């Protein structure tokens, strides 16, 4: 058995060299022809000895069927002995050689005289033999051996070149980047007008989307009709100046962007290594567009102009055939498209449209979800409305809902007349536009609220100052002493301040009756449950809240000094009610000292009977019942009451 003569490292080296894969191409046939001429033999072969066969890397004069097969089994191999011995093999007549006489090549191929020398890889491994064969006995001379060794050295060099080329080509084909070996094309004046592909790798085809095997031998203008002149001019400059050039450029006909470097390699030839950067360029452009949108939205002050700015932003960031926007009528489920931008040949859709005419996706828009349909014919939401989409020349679309506080206000749309698979990047871009629009709407609402609040505060401040002036003037006019005036003014202003505190917590808009009453009575509450309150929830305007607070303060102060709260037995019942927007407030004292009507009505009485009642567009009346003071205030509320809150 030959197996224990086998050197595993040699076989591995042979297989890694790539020579076995290319042996069928008979790349060394010219050298075997040379051997036949120089040594005057009928057959010459170059073999590569694998594990269980010998493969002909070159042959001349070899009979059939072996010439066609390109290899023989080891039963027909003399060259295996050259490899195993790592030395030449010489026999004048193999039929008489004890080692060779049983070899099947003698009978099947006609090998009689054999002269073979080793062939060596660049790393020193002997992997085959160069052999001269005669079909008759022959005595080989030293000159024959010398000539065969000389040719073998040439074979070794040729193998080294092919191994280097094979490894380079393997690396070349394994590149993820596209590779071009090109040569410029000149006109009769020597001016560069085009360039030709001399070699490209597999990645080149994939990056350009061009079928394999269609580039070599053709020029860039032939392969990509309408390609931009810059793709010729830049590489022409590389050849003419001898300087490399980096580029980031779009091939318009392919709608793809590429980034790479072109290098001169001498003469009219150059190389290019490049990658596709279409998504990166689009992403950068979208980010720039979003920044521009942020600037534009800061200057917009109404919904329609904000939506229009969003539509322009999407138009800059998406490559579609139609872009537009419209305001939504949720009662009718319609959209009113005020404007759109269309590519040549694409008709406008300005006007009012029913969502139901185009499918069921309005439900998704109402939820605030982006609707991205790659194909209206297959999406279940739109497949039954193909005719409606055909009428507006739309095959794919993306709708961005403009919603705020859970309500759909408008839709920004992008339409494509051909199939368009919406990418994650495009969806994300649309979401980012939507986020910025919602932020702009929130800002707009906040600014409106702030403006209203500022106006309200200004109005309330004027009213408060007027009331303070009235309190001070009337109190000073009727007080017997300055100490009495000082105490009365301080007490009444404190009541105003407590009411203002309540209004501050409610943004100066409305305050609940109970909260106003509790704050006004709080300083006068005594031990025990002597002050009772009941009534429904009812919101008072800021002016009415201030007035009611002052009225309760005056009543409570009087009760504490002279009335039901001035002894240990008295009590006060405070009630109110609202019926169909009409407000009625009652203050009833009992259990206090007997009441007598005053001879002179003071400012306090005037305040609660006339001034406060005017705030409610109603009437106020104090009844000096001997059993206890009673006060009744009737008027109107700004809003109807809700459920009672006792």
């Amino acid at each position: 058995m030959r197996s224990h003569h086998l050197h595993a490292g040699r076989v591995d080296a042979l297989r890694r060299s790539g020579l076995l894969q290319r042996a069928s191409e008979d790349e060394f046939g010219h050298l075997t022809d040379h051997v036949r001429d120089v040594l005057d033999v009928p057959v010459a072969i170059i073999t590569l000895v694998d594990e269980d066969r010998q493969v002909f890397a070159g042959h001349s004069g070899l009979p059939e069927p072996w010439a066609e097969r390109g290899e023989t089994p080891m039963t027909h191999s003399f060259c295996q002995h050259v490899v195993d011995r790592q030395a030449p093999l010489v026999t004048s007549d193999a039929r008489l050689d004890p080692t060779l006489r049983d070899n099947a090549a003698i009978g099947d191929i006609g090998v009689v005289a054999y002269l073979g020398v080793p062939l060596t890889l660049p790393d020193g491994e002997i992997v085959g033999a160069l052999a001269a064969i005669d079909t008759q006995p022959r005595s080989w001379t030293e000159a024959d051996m010398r000539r065969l060794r000389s040719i073998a050295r040439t074979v070794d060099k040729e193998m080294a070149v092919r191994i280097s080329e094979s490894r380079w080509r393997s690396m070349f084909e394994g590149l993820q980047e596209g590779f071009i070996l090109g040569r410029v094309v000149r006109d009769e004046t020597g001016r560069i007008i085009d360039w030709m592909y001399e070699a490209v790798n597999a990645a080149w085809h994939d990056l350009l989307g061009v079928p394999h095997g269609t580039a070599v031998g053709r020029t860039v203008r032939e392969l990509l009709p309408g390609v931009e002149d810059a793709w010729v001019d830049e590489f022409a400059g590389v050849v003419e100046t001898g300087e490399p050039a980096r580029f980031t450029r779009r091939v318009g006909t392919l709608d793809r962007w590429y980034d790479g470097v072109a290098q001169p390699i001498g003469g009219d030839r150059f190389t290019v290594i490049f990658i596709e950067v279409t998504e990166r360029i689009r992403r950068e452009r979208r980010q720039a567009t979003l920044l521009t949108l942020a600037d534009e939205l800061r200057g917009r002050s109404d919904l329609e102009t904000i939506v229009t700015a969003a539509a322009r932003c999407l138009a800059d960031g998406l490559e579609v055939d139609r872009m537009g926007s419209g305001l939504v009528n949720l009662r009718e489920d319609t959209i009113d498209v005020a404007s759109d931008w269309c590519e040549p040949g694409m008709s406008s859709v300005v006007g009012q449209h029913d969502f139901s005419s185009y499918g069921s996706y309005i439900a998704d828009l109402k939820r605030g979800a982006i609707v991205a349909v790659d194909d209206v014919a297959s999406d279940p939401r739109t497949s039954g409305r193909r005719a409606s989409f055909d009428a507006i020349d739309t095959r794919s679309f993306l709708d961005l809902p403009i919603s705020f506080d859970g309500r759909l206000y408008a839709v920004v749309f992008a339409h494509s007349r051909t199939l368009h698979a919406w990418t994650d990047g495009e969806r994300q871009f649309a979401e980012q536009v939507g986020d910025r629009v919602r932020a702009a709407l929130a800002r707009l609402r906040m600014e409106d609220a702030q403006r209203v609040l500022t106006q309200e505060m200004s109005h309330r401040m004027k009213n408060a100052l007027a009331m303070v002036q009235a309190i001070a003037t009337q109190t000073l006019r009727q007080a017997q002493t300055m100490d009495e005036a000082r105490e009365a003014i301080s007490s009444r202003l404190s009541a105003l301040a407590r009411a203002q505190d309540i209004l501050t917590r409610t943004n100066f808009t409305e305050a609940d009756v109970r909260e106003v009453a509790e704050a006004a009575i709080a300083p006068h509450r005594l031990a025990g449950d002597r002050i009772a309150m009941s009534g429904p929830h009812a919101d008072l305007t800021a002016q009415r809240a201030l007035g009611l607070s002052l009225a309760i303060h005056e009543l409570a102060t009087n009760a504490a000094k002279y009335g039901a709260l001035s002894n240990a037995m008295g009590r006060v019942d405070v009630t109110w009610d609202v019926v169909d927007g009409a407000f009625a407030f009652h203050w009833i004292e009992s259990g206090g000292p007997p009441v007598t009507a005053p001879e002179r009505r003071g400012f306090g009485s005037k305040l609660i009977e006339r001034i406060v009642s005017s705030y409610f567009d109603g009437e106020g009346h104090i009844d000096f019942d001997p059993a206890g003071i009673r006060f009744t205030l009737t008027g109107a509320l700004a809003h109807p009451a809700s459920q009672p809150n006792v």
Side-chain angles (χ1 to χ4, degrees):
M1 296 291 290
R2 180 180 173 276
S3 60
H4 60 261
H5 293 292
L6 184 66
H7 192 290
R10 175 187 61 77
V11 174
D12 288 343
L14 175 61
R15 292 176 178 174
R16 288 196 306 270
S17 72
L19 293 172
L20 284 174
Q21 287 80 1
R22 303 181 66 182
S24 61
E25 300 174 14
D26 193 18
E27 292 185 325
F28 300 95
H30 64 290
L31 293 174
T32 53
D33 287 340
H34 187 47
V35 171
R36 287 181 64 192
D37 291 341
V38 171
L39 298 185
D40 190 24
V41 292
V43 178
I45 59 174
I46 295 173
T47 62
L48 300 171
V49 179
D50 197 3
E51 188 172 8
D52 55 6
R53 61 177 180 150
Q54 68 175 14
V55 177
F56 298 117
H59 58 82
S60 182
L62 192 68
E64 295 295 348
W66 312 107
E68 176 67 25
R69 292 180 183 175
E71 63 179 59
T72 69
M74 288 303 184
T75 55
H76 293 65
S77 173
F78 281 25
C79 295
Q80 64 180 305
H81 299 292
V82 175
V83 173
D84 288 346
R85 295 174 181 179
Q86 298 189 4
L89 175 65
V90 183
T91 180
S92 299
D93 190 339
R95 295 170 299 184
L96 304 178
D97 190 312
T99 303
L100 302 173
R101 62 188 177 193
D102 295 326
N103 194 294
I106 297 173
D108 292 348
I109 301 178
V111 180
V112 176
Y114 176 92
L115 175 63
V117 295
L119 296 176
T120 306
L121 295 180
D123 59 8
E125 290 285 355
I126 295 175
V127 294
L130 171 63
I133 298 172
D134 203 329
T135 55
Q136 301 295 325
R138 173 169 175 169
S139 295
W140 303 100
T141 66
E142 287 294 330
D144 293 335
M145 176 63 77
R146 188 171 62 253
R147 294 185 181 109
L148 191 63
R149 283 185 182 275
S150 176
I151 298 173
R153 285 194 292 271
T154 301
V155 175
D156 286 344
K157 291 177 182 178
E158 290 275 353
M159 287 198 304
V161 170
R162 280 158 176 74
I163 290 170
S164 176
E165 182 184 87
S166 177
R167 289 173 179 168
W168 178 86
R169 184 171 295 277
S170 176
M171 179 186 69
F172 170 69
E173 290 299 334
L175 285 174
Q176 297 299 309
E177 298 84 358
F179 178 86
I180 299 170
L181 173 61
R183 178 174 54 80
V184 298
V185 176
R186 300 176 183 271
D187 63 14
E188 61 276 4
T189 67
R191 185 173 64 91
I192 297 174
I193 58 173
D194 205 344
W195 53 266
M196 180 179 292
Y197 294 94
E198 291 195 342
V200 296
N201 65 346
W204 177 91
H205 296 88
D206 298 333
L207 291 172
L208 270 75
V210 174
H212 285 246
T214 59
V216 174
R218 301 174 68 186
T219 71
V220 67
R221 294 193 189 280
E222 292 172 342
L223 193 66
L224 303 173
V227 70
E228 292 80 0
D229 290 340
W231 286 105
V232 174
D233 297 341
E234 180 137 48
F235 298 161
V238 168
V239 169
E240 297 282 25
T241 65
E243 296 292 332
R246 291 205 64 89
F247 60 86
T248 300
R249 188 177 296 110
R250 178 174 177 262
V251 176
T253 55
L254 301 179
D255 192 21
R256 298 188 184 188
W257 285 81
Y258 299 96
D259 182 275
V261 60
Q263 295 271 4
I265 58 172
D268 280 351
R269 304 171 82 206
F270 61 93
T271 62
V272 181
I273 293 181
F274 66 95
I275 58 173
E276 184 183 356
V277 292
T278 304
E279 281 307 309
R280 188 196 81 195
I281 295 297
R282 288 175 177 169
R283 185 168 58 251
E284 291 173 352
R285 186 172 65 190
R286 289 168 190 155
Q287 290 304 312
T289 301
L290 289 172
L291 291 175
T292 301
L293 175 64
D295 291 337
E296 286 194 14
L297 290 179
R298 277 193 286 271
R300 308 283 172 149
S301 58
D302 62 85
L303 174 64
E304 191 166 355
T305 59
I306 286 174
V307 172
T308 300
R312 289 188 182 277
C313 178
L314 273 187
D316 290 339
L318 299 178
E319 295 177 0
V320 293
D321 298 311
R322 181 193 295 121
M323 181 69 67
S325 62
L327 300 182
V328 174
N329 183 332
L330 289 177
R331 291 191 301 274
E332 304 293 337
D333 276 355
T334 60
I335 180 172
D336 188 7
V337 179
S339 62
D340 58 11
W341 303 272
C342 306
E343 289 293 313
M346 197 73 169
S347 60
S348 172
V349 292
V350 169
Q352 190 178 85
H353 301 268
D354 293 327
F355 279 104
S356 59
S357 299
Y358 300 95
S360 61
Y361 58 89
I362 179 65
D364 296 324
L365 294 174
K366 288 179 178 179
R367 289 191 294 105
I370 290 175
V371 175
V373 175
D374 296 344
D375 184 358
V376 298
S378 60
D379 192 291
R381 296 169 294 183
T382 58
S383 57
R385 297 290 187 270
R386 178 66 186 276
S388 297
F389 284 102
D390 286 346
I392 60 172
D393 199 17
T394 299
R395 188 67 183 274
S396 302
F397 71 90
L398 182 147
D399 276 5
L400 169 65
I402 304 301
S403 303
F404 192 73
D405 287 345
R407 183 177 185 276
L408 178 64
Y409 290 97
V411 172
V412 177
F413 57 82
H415 293 170
S416 175
R417 71 182 89 190
T418 57
L419 288 176
H420 185 114
W422 302 102
T423 66
D424 290 342
E426 290 171 324
R427 293 169 186 261
Q428 184 180 38
F429 172 61
E431 289 173 355
Q432 291 172 326
V433 171
D435 290 343
R436 283 157 175 78
V437 169
R438 282 188 290 274
L441 291 175
R443 172 189 55 77
L444 190 61
R445 177 168 294 185
M446 182 177 66
E447 289 174 352
D448 288 343
Q450 184 65 42
R451 187 162 44 251
V452 170
L453 179 59
T454 301
Q455 293 171 349
E456 182 71 14
M457 287 181 66
S458 175
H459 177 67
R460 297 307 163 205
M461 184 64 69
K462 291 176 182 177
N463 286 343
L465 290 175
M467 185 172 288
V468 168
Q469 184 179 26
I471 289 172
T473 300
Q474 294 297 329
T475 302
L476 289 170
R477 181 180 297 162
Q478 297 186 7
Q480 299 298 318
T481 67
M482 286 301 297
D483 287 341
E484 179 185 342
R486 185 182 301 109
E487 181 181 353
I489 290 174
S490 176
S491 177
R492 286 163 177 162
L493 291 183
S494 293
L496 274 177
R498 286 191 292 275
Q500 287 287 357
D501 285 342
I502 296 171
L503 291 172
T504 300
R505 294 196 297 271
T506 59
N507 290 329
F508 294 91
T509 53
E510 296 175 339
D512 181 51
V513 174
R514 176 177 290 274
E515 191 174 9
V516 171
E518 288 278 10
I521 289 174
H524 306 284
R525 281 196 178 278
L526 304 173
D529 190 14
R530 298 176 60 188
I531 302 176
M533 288 190 296
S534 66
H537 168 75
D539 287 328
L540 300 175
T541 65
Q543 188 75 355
R544 286 171 178 146
L546 288 173
L548 185 61
S549 178
L550 280 174
I552 294 173
H553 167 74
E554 292 295 326
L555 291 165
T557 299
N558 186 75
K561 288 182 176 181
Y562 314 111
L565 301 182
S566 66
N567 63 16
M569 303 298 295
R571 61 177 287 114
V572 177
D573 289 294
V574 180
T575 64
W576 64 90
D577 198 9
V578 180
V579 178
D580 296 331
F583 178 66
F585 177 85
H586 302 279
W587 173 283
I588 302 174
E589 297 183 22
S590 61
V595 175
T596 58
E599 295 180 1
R600 183 173 61 89
R601 304 293 288 271
F603 174 64
S605 297
K606 179 181 178 182
L607 177 68
I608 61 177
E609 283 188 320
R610 300 179 185 178
I611 299 176
V612 172
S613 63
S614 69
Y615 291 165
F616 284 84
D617 297 324
E619 295 181 352
H621 176 68
I622 299 176
D623 182 7
F624 294 94
D625 190 312
I629 284 181
R630 297 169 179 266
F631 171 68
T632 301
L633 171 67
T634 59
L637 279 184
H639 302 289
S642 61
Q643 295 298 318
N645 181 19
V646 179

